[in-house]
Amino acid sequence: MLVVLKKQADASALDELIRELDRFGFKAHVSQGVETTLVGAVGKGPTPEIMEHFRALPYVAEVIRISKPYKLASLEVHPLPTVLRFPTGATGGGHFLVAAGPCGVESREQTLTAARYVKKHGGRMLRGGAYKPRTSPYSFQGLGEEGLKILAEARRETGLPVVTEVTSPHLVEPVAEYADVLQIGARNAQNFALLKEVGRSGKPVLLKRGMSMTLEEFLMSAEYVLSEGNDQVILVERGIRTFEKATRFTLDVSAVPVLKGWTHLPVWVDPSHAAGKREYVTPLALAGIAAGADGLIVETHPRPEEARSDAAQQLNEEEFAEFMSRVKALLPAVGKALDAAALR
Ligand code: PEP
Ligand code: MN
């Protein structure tokens, strides 16, 4: 349920409410607005009697049942958009960010080259997998810790924060030592042990939608992270499985406005994994922006033809520069711009 405090309620009233919620077995999540204080009370479904009890408290204006199965992710509990801020820019609430880089970290030279031109063309976060969740056990699995060190070096040099995938609960701690944002891949989007662990890490989480997940299931996965006390989650639509074979997956463009109507969390689009072919990456990214996305994550490699994973969908520098100029041209039409935050 959601408890709305009266405008004149002070800090001691809020403390008292939190204690009272605790007594009834609810965990309180406070959103302090300019005018009103909302307290999301998460626990076992409140009975009408319990709701009546809280409604009768002198400092309570209203008690509302949260109708959705996801609570902390819902706009009902948190009506203002969540904004995630990084040294290079922000996402959510009108802020727009592009994360770009190779599918996998393959070498120091490859990653540093990509990081330099990503920054030059307006990318504000560096992506790159050090642990790759590959469909085949015989495919390139990533450089592991060596890859994390290369990403950290690229961050030191360019100032770009780093997003990289974590594939297993026991890797959360070591990956969090190097990464600024922990990525949960589509194949792990319902790995609940992993979601809880990244929730406890305190690091921002970039959560990909599973390829066969409904949007409600997607938000329930985000809820696992939020329920551990971590409210910094970016949702990424990266294409779902359909019968169509012309693209690798089918970008579910409607996921963007639907999610924006259900949740306060930033919603991004990954056109690379949806398309699977480089010629479709830019149009899908533009469709995502037009639909209301708060950011993009896109793959680029200095020499895509030599890439050890996802070669067909990675843009080279020239293509990435063109991609960025199309993105920059469209953003003002939706009232957004690339954050101009200064880079080191
Ligand atoms: C990736 O971003 O490198 C990746 C593996 O994506 P996904 O989990 O969406 O397939
Ligand atoms: Mn990839």
Side-chain angles (χ1 to χ4, degrees):
M1 64 187 167
L2 183 68
V3 183
V4 185
L5 289 189
K6 285 184 178 161
K7 283 199 174 57
Q8 60 272 25
D10 58 11
S12 68
L14 179 61
D15 286 347
E16 200 180 311
L17 174 65
I18 293 171
R19 274 197 304 276
E20 192 63 3
L21 286 169
D22 184 59
R23 201 165 71 81
F24 279 82
F26 293 100
K27 231 168 143 180
H29 295 266
V30 181
S31 341
Q32 199 90 51
V34 187
E35 290 265 303
T36 38
T37 302
L38 301 176
V39 183
V42 180
K44 281 231 171 68
T47 62
E49 292 75 24
I50 290 178
M51 289 179 70
E52 218 28 70
H53 168 79
F54 281 92
R55 208 168 271 132
L57 296 174
Y59 44 81
V60 169
E62 189 50 282
V63 177
I64 302 159
R65 182 179 292 283
I66 305 167
S67 54
K68 298 287 205 301
Y70 47 88
K71 310 289 179 193
L72 301 174
S74 77
L75 271 175
E76 286 167 289
V77 167
H78 195 299
L80 294 176
T82 287
V83 181
L84 268 69
R85 293 178 195 283
F86 301 95
T88 53
T91 177
H95 301 272
F96 191 92
L97 207 65
V98 176
C103 177
V105 176
E106 295 166 2
S107 72
R108 188 171 168 272
E109 187 265 331
Q110 169 244 19
T111 299
L112 286 169
T113 304
R116 288 177 196 133
Y117 75 68
V118 162
K119 173 178 171 173
K120 176 171 146 203
H121 301 300
R124 288 294 179 262
M125 189 178 285
L126 176 66
R127 65 145 290 145
Y131 296 91
K132 296 301 302 172
R134 304 305 300 283
T135 302
S136 164
Y138 309 119
S139 302
F140 174 58
Q141 302 285 310
L143 296 183
E145 193 173 356
E146 188 195 336
L148 297 175
K149 289 184 175 152
I150 293 171
L151 287 167
E153 183 181 347
R155 175 186 43 212
R156 265 198 311 280
E157 186 190 307
T158 60
L160 294 175
V162 162
V163 55
T164 192
E165 181 161 354
V166 53
T167 49
S168 167
H170 78 271
L171 289 171
V172 171
E173 216 182 287
V175 173
E177 261 185 53
Y178 294 96
D180 300 282
V181 179
L182 301 176
Q183 177 174 332
I184 301 293
R187 291 156 190 81
N188 268 315
Q190 284 184 307
N191 181 338
F192 302 118
L194 179 59
L195 292 169
K196 284 194 219 174
E197 202 59 36
V198 294
R200 288 191 279 264
S201 74
K203 288 268 175 174
V205 174
L206 183 139
L207 176 62
K208 298 279 197 96
R209 179 184 184 182
M211 56 192 83
S212 303
M213 250 183 168
T214 66
L215 294 175
E216 190 169 289
E217 287 165 341
F218 190 17
L219 286 183
M220 294 312 291
S221 287
E223 192 77 12
Y224 266 92
V225 180
L226 296 168
S227 67
E228 294 295 332
N230 185 347
D231 57 2
Q232 303 199 79
V233 179
I234 297 167
L235 302 169
V236 184
E237 162 58 37
R238 46 76 72 209
I240 55 173
R241 272 264 148 79
T242 70
F243 49 79
E244 183 51 65
K245 294 202 178 97
T247 48
R248 186 176 176 191
F249 294 93
T250 297
L251 182 72
D252 180 9
V253 181
S254 40
V256 179
V258 171
L259 288 170
K260 301 286 289 177
W262 289 355
T263 183
H264 51 91
L265 298 170
V267 179
W268 286 19
V269 159
D270 171 348
S272 305
H273 291 88
K277 295 182 184 141
R278 67 179 53 81
E279 62 264 38
Y280 306 129
V281 169
T282 302
L284 295 189
L286 298 178
I289 294 172
D294 301 294
L296 297 169
I297 179 165
V298 62
E299 288 187 343
T300 176
H301 188 297
R303 287 176 303 282
E305 59 288 355
E306 291 171 19
R308 298 182 74 183
S309 57
D310 291 351
Q313 71 196 31
Q314 302 204 59
L315 307 177
N316 63 25
E317 176 177 359
E318 196 187 334
E319 290 157 344
F320 177 67
E322 173 64 15
F323 167 92
M324 286 303 296
S325 75
R326 304 281 300 277
V327 164
K328 286 180 206 163
L330 179 59
L331 283 172
V334 293
K336 290 178 185 145
L338 277 191
D339 262 12
L343 287 165
R344 271 183 278 147

